[in-house]
Amino acid sequence: MKRWHAYLISGGWVIVLAGCGFGHPEAITHNSKPKAVASEILSRMSSWQNVRATVKETEITSAHQVKTLNYQVTSNLPSGQYVINLLGSRLVSVYVNSHETIWYPQNSKHYSVLAGLPATDAPWMIAAELPKWLRQSQVHGVRVKGDKVSLMMTLVPPSSKSPVDALLIYDTSTNTPESFSMQVGKTKITETFSHFQVNPNVPASTFSFSPPQGVTPAISLTQTGTALNLAKSQLNFPIVLPPSSAGMTLDAINTGTNTQGQRVVILSFTAQDSSSVIITEKSTHHPVTALPNSNLTSTTQSVGSLTVVVANLPDNMEEAAFSVHNTEVIVEGNASTVDSLLNQWGNLPSLTSSALASSGSTPSSP
């Protein structure tokens, strides 16, 4: 379930200073303290309801490999909803709200429903909710050069357990962000904004996905947060859960039918390092010999009692699949988390559905 999604923000700038919660903006000078500057910028953002922009995302690794991605985003800040549209040769629209993420490759016959935005797309989440992330950051440095203010900060990005260094460059003449960058491991990720628009007239329907005629879900899901026992009753195969030693929290369960008419369950977990793990399962009577995405380069490995097909994904992510007791299990998450989970599964004396179902992982309330 790997995908790149995005739609960030476009247009011109409109903002009303009076009656928006901050009155006249305070001057930001070379002598301003970092916290005071952050507070002032947040004050200027206080009137933001909808924002829209065009974004260029650049990733640079320590090996000087450069990847770029262009997208647009429209975000409704009070509701936490946003829409991302990839630009270029691969047109994809992504709709994000508090309980699901819809991934729709345009001109495709199907769309996917995910429990949340994948960890590799965390910069889009920050860009779509910039005031929120500025409030949650620790600002420790400021540099002022004309109308450009650079805020040095640390923050904990989505699906991460450790704070990272980040930099926000803000234009005080237009009261819009110019760029946001952060160092994640050996990779520097920069979101550069253009055509930034504040409070454009955005219909509420913008944030709701209406499938075009003839477009159906790749997996027809039931409600998010379905209880574990109810999910079991809807399936004709045993659900394989992580062992209790993995310390993973089950956040959501979705059951449904895929395009081949097979019953499917999708389980969304939070690992001990706060990263997300997605597990997809369906009935099978054969060993897993390949991953669903035939474009991935995979290897077959023995992990304890399991025979596992594994493929590396961008941004240190990994996808792995195996079959046990007539259940096909596909796991996607951070490579280290997936490897650890596979080892714990492989070292279990037996992978019976009853043993795993009593592993201690509990779903959130529906």
Side-chain angles (χ1 to χ4, degrees):
M1 288 214 293
K2 195 65 185 172
R3 20 256 155 208
W4 276 90
H5 347 332
Y7 181 7
L8 213 52
I9 326 173
S10 69
W13 160 264
V14 178
I15 188 166
V16 180
L17 295 181
C20 291
F22 58 85
H24 298 289
E26 297 291 333
I28 298 175
T29 69
H30 295 283
N31 297 322
S32 300
K33 301 297 183 182
K35 289 184 178 180
V37 174
S39 178
E40 173 60 25
I41 291 176
L42 280 171
S43 177
R44 299 185 186 198
M45 292 177 174
S46 65
S47 69
W48 292 10
Q49 298 292 315
N50 295 319
V51 291
R52 180 181 290 147
T54 300
V55 183
K56 180 178 181 179
E57 179 175 286
T58 305
E59 293 188 21
I60 304 176
T61 67
S62 57
H64 305 294
Q65 296 175 326
V66 179
K67 293 192 302 182
T68 60
L69 177 73
N70 295 295
Y71 61 98
Q72 292 179 321
V73 63
T74 298
S75 177
N76 180 265
L77 297 169
S79 70
Q81 294 177 292
Y82 52 96
V83 183
I84 297 168
N85 288 329
L86 291 180
L87 303 175
S89 59
R90 190 183 180 198
L91 300 178
V92 177
S93 295
V94 183
Y95 297 77
V96 182
N97 58 42
S98 61
H99 65 275
E100 67 182 10
T101 293
I102 295 176
W103 170 264
Y104 173 54
Q106 295 181 27
N107 302 318
S108 171
K109 294 182 179 179
H110 303 290
Y111 62 92
S112 298
V113 182
L114 314 176
L117 194 68
T120 53
D121 301 326
W124 301 341
M125 182 182 296
I126 293 176
E129 302 176 329
L130 194 55
K132 167 187 171 181
W133 291 102
L134 179 54
R135 284 193 299 270
Q136 294 179 352
S137 67
Q138 297 292 325
V139 178
H140 52 74
V142 62
R143 182 171 61 250
V144 179
K145 186 176 182 180
D147 295 326
K148 303 298 171 64
V149 176
S150 300
L151 278 179
M152 284 72 80
M153 65 187 78
T154 56
L155 57 82
V156 179
S159 303
S160 175
K161 65 178 180 179
S162 303
V164 301
D165 292 326
L167 174 67
L168 170 66
I169 299 179
Y170 190 84
D171 189 329
T172 57
S173 65
T174 60
N175 282 320
T176 59
E178 183 174 286
S179 67
F180 178 89
S181 59
M182 59 183 178
Q183 187 73 34
V184 181
K186 296 182 179 180
T187 302
K188 182 179 180 180
I189 303 172
T190 300
E191 311 283 304
T192 302
F193 308 109
S194 62
H195 304 96
F196 199 103
Q197 199 175 14
V198 171
N199 294 338
N201 184 16
V202 179
S205 59
T206 301
F207 305 103
S208 299
F209 175 66
S210 298
Q213 185 174 3
V215 175
T216 59
I219 295 176
S220 302
L221 299 177
T222 57
Q223 68 190 57
T224 298
T226 302
L228 182 59
N229 287 337
L230 177 57
K232 291 178 183 178
S233 70
Q234 297 172 338
L235 303 169
N236 58 356
F237 57 90
I239 297 177
V240 178
L241 295 176
S244 58
S245 57
M248 299 176 67
T249 300
L250 178 54
D251 299 315
I253 306 173
N254 292 278
T255 61
T257 304
N258 65 14
T259 53
Q260 289 75 45
Q262 297 170 298
R263 297 296 290 164
V264 175
V265 62
I266 300 176
L267 305 104
S268 172
F269 288 87
T270 298
Q272 287 181 313
D273 62 356
S274 299
S275 65
S276 296
V277 177
I278 302 296
I279 300 177
T280 306
E281 301 180 10
K282 65 181 179 66
S283 175
T284 185
H285 296 283
H286 306 283
V288 175
T289 58
L291 294 170
N293 187 345
S294 59
N295 294 324
L296 295 176
T297 301
S298 61
T299 60
T300 301
Q301 305 173 6
S302 293
V303 183
S305 62
L306 300 177
T307 299
V308 185
V309 179
V310 181
N312 293 323
L313 300 171
D315 302 306
N316 199 35
M317 300 288 285
E318 186 173 278
E319 191 171 86
F322 63 90
S323 61
V324 60
H325 297 302
N326 297 331
T327 300
E328 178 186 279
V329 181
I330 300 175
V331 187
E332 181 181 324
N334 291 338
S336 59
T337 303
V338 171
D339 289 342
S340 175
L341 182 54
L342 291 174
N343 285 326
Q344 292 180 74
W345 262 324
N347 290 327
L348 285 175
S350 63
L351 282 176
T352 63
S353 59
S354 59
L356 293 175
S358 61
S359 65
S361 296
T362 55
S364 55
S365 300

